[in-house]
Amino acid sequence: MIVYYPLWETLKEKGFTTYTLRYKFGISGSTVQRLRKNMSISTNTLDDICRLLNCKLSDLAEYVESGDMS
């Protein structure tokens, strides 16, 4: 399963919040909610977030075994 735990750490390190994602960068509220719930989002959206945060994909998401949700 793909999880977005690294995204929250990356945002914190860069001094950003979900408010920044939504209102400064234009990421929709529904996309932010999908990220919070570790639901799927498009690779285009991941590409946009990487560009906006100037980071790598590994700074946003990681794969974990379905039974290993740490």
Side-chain angles (χ1 to χ4, degrees):
M1 149 179 236
I2 303 296
V3 295
Y4 301 104
Y5 303 134
L7 169 62
W8 312 118
E9 288 301 314
T10 300
L11 286 174
K12 188 184 303 183
E13 289 170 8
K14 294 182 178 277
F16 296 145
T17 64
T18 57
Y19 182 89
T20 309
L21 283 179
R22 292 177 65 197
Y23 296 103
K24 182 175 179 187
F25 296 143
I27 303 297
S28 73
S30 61
T31 297
V32 172
Q33 288 302 315
R34 294 183 70 76
L35 289 164
R36 285 185 180 178
K37 295 177 181 179
N38 294 315
M39 297 171 72
S40 64
I41 62 170
S42 75
T43 54
N44 288 336
T45 300
L46 288 170
D47 182 59
D48 289 343
I49 295 171
C50 284
R51 181 178 40 79
L52 294 167
L53 297 179
N54 191 30
C55 65
K56 298 181 282 185
L57 183 57
S58 61
D59 295 328
L60 303 183
E62 68 178 308
Y63 173 78
V64 296
E65 299 272 341
S66 292
D68 184 28
M69 302 257 309
S70 49

